[in-house]
């Protein structure tokens, strides 16, 4: 009788739980094991960095966590819900409601303004235009771009573009913020600013999982997961 | 209230997206505008030419190419009146009476075949004048003893141009030669005209007054006397498409007034077929022009749409990563292409109406814009625009979001 209650409590204190998650790619005849039975729990409000050599499976892991991809085997619980067996529409819904994604190459719509880019998730959530542009303005202010609402991404610096992407990722008030090398295209000073912003968001309670190559960027995170050939090498601390 | 406002938002978003990609939208629309516009304009010019060729106005007697006739045999004077009065589509009726009389011009005497008719004959069957004049309404009114020789008859009688004004004795009556006309050439207009071996024309009224309606028939060696008022009535119908229907109408009417079937109706099928062939040729030419224009317009639209696949695929990847469902993406692109195609199509229609109008104004060429050409061009262009606008969207929406994002 006590055991389920404990499990329940454990599940609720974890934002995301991976149980023996594998992801295989079939390349012609042979099979690439991008992830091989990875099990790890990400606590609510934690800040993780995922490190490892190129090709070790970092992006694959992050895409799975972001419901952009489905595991070949294993179970993925997001806030207690098993998302590993969901269909495309259900995964879209999860991404829309619970995930905020930040990419290395920003992935902004080049022809849309800053405000339109930030409000994009709200459009798919069905917000009315007045409310969503109000929210876009608040989020732009949060990342320090309140003066740039009507600019196009091309008119902004790399760091500013990444701030727009962060504001967009925050628009749906996600459970987890996922970032795949968010500073990969930025110089070190700008990288520091972006990391400062992410740290603040984490202090305000956001769970953040970030892929990076660089130890000094990883130092901003409270925990570090090292991948090697699709398996967990070690977790620090 | 909720659903329309949602729709409105989607349409506004579509327009917004089109405005964000001005060049692409403009080029796509250009394909649309010229696809639709050129098809309508070309079909209008072709249709105008076709109409002009098929039903030329009556005034242009001399260059008329196609006419519609029906011949009816074994008839009464009344029948002509009835036909002329009962059928509005019958433009003209020409009565024909055939007689055989001994004729003498100077020294020459011979058996002549005469044709009693009205001036309408010369307008209908077109026998160009060689000399003098044709029969006139006054000849009929005054029961004048005037005769117009055919080229054939003139040759037999050894008549020349200076024979005009001379007296020709026909069945004991003296007639004045007033003109000579060319004989039927043989290739004709497909009408079985009864004057192939006719020597001369005289006014119908004169023929009736001088010679009566009793004809002597020679058949199988025996002679019989018979009352025949008219041998033929030729009816001209205002358009080829009406001929068959009018013929049956006349048939029904004649049946009512003739106790026995002493008449027959003949429709110049060869002529009709020729008209149909002309129409068909025009249709094939017009169809090809329309097809080629639509193809060119369609390829233009297709090119622009496909050229933007990469850009659009990335965009779709971003939208999918943020949480858009496949069908939302497809819907968004459908609305976008529909807004674009409809706008382009409407501008195309405006241009398609304007160009024929200008052609008629400037070049004086007749043009006819048919509703079929409007529907056809708009329909096909919309289909092409929507299919090729949607194709990259459907393909990209099918991809995994990761693959779509990685698309170079
Ligand atoms: N779509 C795919 N098809 C086939 N193999 C793939 C695919 N995506 C990833 N892989 C393979 O899976 C392995 C892990 O790739 P992944 O992108 O996760 O590496 P990574 O750790 O993010 O590397 P990097 O630091 O270079 O970004 C690699 O061997 C890669 O070749
Ligand atoms: Mg990677």
């Amino acid at each position: 009788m006590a055991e389920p209650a404990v499990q329940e409590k454990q599940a609720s204190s974890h934002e995301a739980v991976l149980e023996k998650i594998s992801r295989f790619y079939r390349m012609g005849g042979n099979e690439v094991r991008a992830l091989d039975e990875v099990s790890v729990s990400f606590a609510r409000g934690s800040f993780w960095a995922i490190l490892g050599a190129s090709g070790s499976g970092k992006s694959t892991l992050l895409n799975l966590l972001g419901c952009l991809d489905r595991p070949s085997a294993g179970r993925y619980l997001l806030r207690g819900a098993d998302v590993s067996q969901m269909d495309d529409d259900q995964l879209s819904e999860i991404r829309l409601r619970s995930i905020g994604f930040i990419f290395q190459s920003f992935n902004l719509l080049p022809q849309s303004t800053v405000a339109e880019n930030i409000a994009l998730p709200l459009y798919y959530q069905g917000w009315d235009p007045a409310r969503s542009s109000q929210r876009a303005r608040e989020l732009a202010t949060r990342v320090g771009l309140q003066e740039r609402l009507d600019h196009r991404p091309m008119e902004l610096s790399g760091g500013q573009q990444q701030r727009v992407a962060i504001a967009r990722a925050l628009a749906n008030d996600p459970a987890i913020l996922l970032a795949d090398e968010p500073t990969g295209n930025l110089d070190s000073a700008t990288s520091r600013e972006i990391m400062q912003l992410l740290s603040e968001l984490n202090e305000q309670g956001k769970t953040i999982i970030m892929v990076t190559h660089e130890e000094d960027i990883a130092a901003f995170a409270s925990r570090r997961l090292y991948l090697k050939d699709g398996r967990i090498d070690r977790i620090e601390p | 209230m909720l659903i329309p406002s949602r729709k409105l938002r989607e349409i506004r978003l579509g327009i917004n997206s089109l405005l964000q990609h001005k060049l692409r939208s403009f080029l796509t629309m250009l394909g649309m505008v010229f696809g639709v516009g050129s098809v309508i304009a070309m079909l209008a010019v072709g249709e105008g030419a076709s109409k002009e060729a098929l039903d030329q106005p009556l005034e242009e007697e001399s260059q008329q190419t196609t006419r519609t006739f029906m011949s009816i045999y074994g008839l009464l004077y009344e029948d002509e009146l009835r036909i002329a009065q009962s059928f509005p589509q019958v433009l003209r009726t020409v009565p024909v009476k055939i007689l055989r009389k001994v004729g003498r011009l100077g020294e020459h005497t011979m058996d002549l075949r005469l044709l009693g008719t009205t001036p309408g004959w010369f307008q209908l069957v077109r026998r160009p004048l060689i000399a003098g004049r044709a029969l006139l309404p006054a000849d009929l009114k005054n029961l004048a003893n005037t005769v117009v020789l055919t080229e054939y008859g003139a040759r037999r009688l050894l008549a020349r141009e200076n024979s005009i004004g001379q007296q020709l004795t026909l069945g004991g009556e003296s007639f004045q030669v007033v003109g000579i006309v060319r004989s039927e050439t043989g290739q004709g207009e497909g009408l079985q005209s009864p004057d192939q071996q006719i020597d001369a024309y005289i006014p119908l009224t004169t023929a009736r007054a001088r010679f009566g309606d009793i004809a002597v028939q020679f058949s199988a060696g025996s002679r019989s006397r018979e009352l025949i008022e008219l041998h033929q009535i030729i009816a001209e119908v205002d358009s080829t498409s009406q001929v068959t229907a009018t013929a049956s109408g006349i048939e029904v009417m004649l049946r009512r007034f003739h106790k026995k079937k002493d008449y027959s109706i003949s429709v110049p099928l060869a002529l009709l077929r020729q008209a149909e062939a002309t129409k068909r040729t025009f249709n094939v030419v017009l169809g090809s022009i329309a097809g080629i224009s639509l193809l060119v317009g369609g390829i233009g639209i297709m090119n622009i749409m496909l050229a933007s696949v990469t850009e659009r695929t990335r965009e779709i990847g971003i939208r999918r990563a943020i949480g858009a469902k496949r069908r939302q993406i497809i819907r968004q692109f459908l609305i976008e292409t529909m807004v674009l195609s409809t706008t382009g199509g409407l501008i195309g229609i405006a241009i398609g109406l304007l160009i024929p109008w200008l052609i008629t104004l400037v070049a004086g060429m007749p043009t006819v814009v048919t509703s079929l050409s409007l529907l056809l061009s708009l329909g096909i262009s919309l289909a092409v625009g929507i299919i090729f606008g949607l194709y990259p969207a459907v393909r990209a929406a099918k991809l995994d979001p990761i693959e779509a994002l990685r698309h170079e």
Side-chain angles (χ1 to χ4, degrees):
Chain A
M1 285 295 273
E3 262 192 13
V6 169
Q7 255 190 355
E8 183 74 14
K9 199 174 165 209
Q10 265 192 337
S12 66
S13 69
H14 286 111
E15 204 75 74
V17 178
L18 300 181
E19 295 174 354
K20 293 195 169 181
I21 287 283
S22 298
R23 181 66 168 98
F24 308 142
Y25 291 108
R26 237 164 291 279
M27 295 287 284
N30 50 339
E31 205 175 54
V32 180
R33 296 182 163 236
L35 285 179
D36 197 0
E37 300 205 339
V38 170
S39 297
V40 59
S41 298
F42 300 94
R44 189 162 292 180
S46 57
F47 189 171
W48 287 74
I50 299 173
L51 294 109
S54 186
S56 58
K58 305 184 293 293
S59 294
T60 306
L61 180 61
L62 206 71
N63 290 338
L64 279 169
L65 283 168
C67 294
L68 284 168
D69 197 7
R70 263 174 293 192
S72 311
R75 226 154 70 102
Y76 170 21
L77 301 175
L78 182 66
R79 287 199 163 166
D82 186 356
V83 298
S84 38
Q85 298 305 319
M86 286 185 173
D87 67 19
D88 189 81
D89 273 5
Q90 290 171 311
L91 289 179
S92 299
E93 194 65 27
I94 298 277
R95 290 198 298 273
L96 185 61
R97 306 279 167 192
S98 313
I99 308 283
F101 228 108
I102 301 161
F103 303 90
Q104 177 176 355
S105 52
F106 322 133
N107 279 338
L108 300 172
L109 295 183
Q111 308 288 347
S112 299
T113 63
V114 166
E116 286 165 345
N117 267 292
I118 295 174
L120 198 57
L122 303 177
Y123 171 77
Y124 289 108
Q125 285 197 7
W127 285 41
D128 75 69
R131 249 183 92 214
S132 68
S133 67
Q134 172 61 30
R135 173 124 173 99
R137 193 171 305 116
E138 285 164 19
L139 288 163
T141 309
R142 175 72 194 80
V143 298
L145 288 174
Q146 60 276 23
E147 310 291 330
R148 303 298 186 118
L149 281 168
D150 295 325
H151 288 234
R152 315 248 163 224
M154 290 302 278
E155 299 158 10
L156 303 178
S157 71
Q160 287 170 328
Q161 289 187 49
Q162 196 59 299
R163 285 167 186 275
V164 176
I166 292 171
R168 182 181 64 186
L170 291 171
N172 59 348
D173 195 15
I176 318 182
L177 213 48
L178 300 169
D180 195 347
E181 305 196 34
T183 61
N185 283 359
L186 304 176
D187 63 49
S188 56
T190 317
S191 296
R192 200 156 294 279
E193 283 171 29
I194 292 295
M195 289 316 300
Q196 227 105 48
L197 180 56
L198 290 180
S199 294
E200 284 170 30
L201 289 170
N202 176 245
E203 278 157 27
Q204 288 158 16
K206 274 289 166 248
T207 309
I208 301 180
I209 304 171
M210 168 188 74
V211 165
T212 183
H213 268 83
E214 298 155 78
E215 284 290 345
D216 57 334
I217 295 295
F220 283 87
S222 48
R223 307 198 68 183
R224 283 169 295 281
L225 184 155
Y226 289 85
L227 279 178
K228 192 177 178 186
D229 299 333
R231 290 172 163 276
I232 297 179
D233 186 43
R234 62 183 193 280
I235 294 177
E236 294 175 352
Chain B
M1 228 16 234
L2 255 168
I3 295 161
S5 87
R6 169 103 194 142
K7 265 222 172 77
L8 219 64
R9 260 190 75 195
E10 284 179 326
I11 292 172
R12 196 168 328 122
L13 190 89
I15 292 172
N16 196 23
S17 165
L18 293 174
L19 290 177
Q20 284 173 357
H21 303 88
K22 285 195 186 64
L23 185 64
R24 187 178 72 204
S25 304
F26 173 73
L27 290 176
T28 311
M29 205 139 92
L30 215 60
M32 198 79 194
V33 167
F34 284 102
V36 173
S38 63
V39 168
I40 295 174
M42 286 194 208
L43 285 180
V45 171
E47 191 71 31
S50 152
K51 221 175 159 54
E52 192 178 45
L54 286 180
D55 22 79
Q56 291 230 351
L58 276 173
E59 304 84 72
E60 297 176 35
E61 293 286 345
S62 56
Q63 51 168 330
Q64 181 180 20
T65 54
T66 315
R67 273 288 183 84
T68 303
F69 316 96
M70 277 182 299
S71 302
I72 306 158
Y73 300 92
L75 300 144
L76 309 171
Y77 296 116
E78 283 182 330
D79 289 331
E80 188 209 345
L81 272 173
R82 287 194 201 108
I83 293 168
Q85 284 163 4
S86 320
F87 297 93
Q89 69 269 37
V90 171
L91 296 177
R92 190 177 0 228
T93 53
V94 176
V96 173
K97 187 180 183 68
I98 299 170
L99 311 97
R100 280 165 164 267
K101 295 290 163 205
V102 175
R104 184 168 56 79
L105 181 70
E107 319 284 272
H108 302 276
T109 304
M110 53 184 54
D111 236 13
L112 295 181
R113 285 165 64 93
L114 306 176
L115 206 138
T117 187
T118 60
W121 169 270
F122 297 91
Q123 285 149 31
L124 191 69
V125 188
R126 275 180 299 137
R127 298 284 177 264
L129 272 175
I130 294 172
R133 62 168 176 87
L135 293 178
L136 297 174
D139 294 327
L140 271 92
K141 200 157 157 259
N142 305 332
L143 309 183
N145 276 10
T146 47
V147 60
V148 173
L149 295 176
T150 65
E151 199 180 2
Y152 170 78
R155 209 177 308 124
R156 290 183 67 208
L157 288 164
L158 301 177
R160 298 228 176 78
E161 284 188 23
N162 59 19
S163 306
I164 288 171
Q166 291 182 355
Q167 295 299 311
L168 171 64
T169 312
L170 292 170
E173 295 273 340
S174 185
F175 283 73
Q176 188 183 22
V177 177
V178 293
I180 303 174
V181 296
R182 205 168 288 290
S183 289
E184 181 167 31
T185 47
Q187 62 229 30
E189 295 98 352
L191 170 73
Q192 300 104 315
S193 32
D195 71 336
Q196 239 161 33
Q197 280 168 359
I198 289 294
D199 299 296
Y201 302 105
I202 57 175
L204 180 66
T205 48
T206 312
R208 190 183 183 191
R210 306 284 178 264
F211 308 119
D213 292 327
I214 304 294
V216 182
Q217 299 276 312
F218 300 88
S219 58
S222 70
R223 273 174 67 161
S224 65
R225 294 161 70 81
E226 210 179 336
L227 181 79
I228 295 179
E229 293 189 359
L230 288 176
H231 289 80
Q232 186 171 15
I233 299 170
I234 303 172
E236 184 190 3
V237 180
D238 65 356
S239 90
T240 24
S241 56
Q242 299 250 34
V243 172
T244 317
T246 309
S248 2
I250 291 174
E251 168 105 56
V252 168
M253 196 194 75
L254 290 178
R255 205 180 302 140
R256 193 149 13 107
F257 292 103
H258 289 242
K259 280 187 196 70
K260 75 181 202 280
K261 192 169 173 2
D262 54 356
Y263 57 88
S264 77
I265 296 186
S266 91
V267 177
L269 283 175
L271 186 77
L272 282 182
R273 263 186 234 115
Q274 189 195 327
E276 269 161 23
T278 308
K279 179 98 186 139
R280 206 162 35 240
T281 308
F282 266 107
N283 284 345
V284 169
V285 171
L286 294 183
S288 316
I289 291 172
I292 291 168
S293 308
L294 283 175
L295 193 72
V296 170
I299 289 173
I301 296 169
M302 195 170 83
N303 269 341
I304 303 292
M305 293 288 194
L306 292 183
S308 66
V309 163
T310 298
E311 188 194 348
R312 305 241 82 177
T313 304
R314 277 193 69 87
E315 176 189 338
I316 287 167
I318 293 169
R319 290 177 184 275
R320 293 274 285 134
I322 277 163
K325 297 187 177 72
R326 284 193 172 127
R327 80 183 103 86
Q328 286 178 309
I329 298 284
I330 290 170
R331 209 182 144 76
Q332 175 205 332
F333 275 68
L334 183 66
I335 288 172
E336 233 178 78
T337 49
M338 277 194 342
V339 168
L340 196 66
S341 304
T342 311
T343 314
L346 291 179
I347 298 176
I349 285 184
I351 288 187
L353 294 174
L354 183 73
I355 291 176
W357 182 79
L358 281 177
I359 289 176
T360 306
L361 194 74
V362 175
M365 266 170 72
T367 53
V368 180
V369 176
T370 61
S371 51
L372 180 73
S373 75
L374 293 184
L375 287 177
L376 181 85
S377 57
L378 190 63
I380 294 184
S381 301
L382 276 181
V384 169
I386 289 169
I387 288 169
F388 288 102
L390 217 47
Y391 166 75
V394 170
R395 228 185 47 168
K398 276 217 181 92
L399 292 177
D400 273 341
I402 306 171
E403 276 179 69
L405 278 175
R406 218 183 272 143
H407 203 276
E408 286 312 321

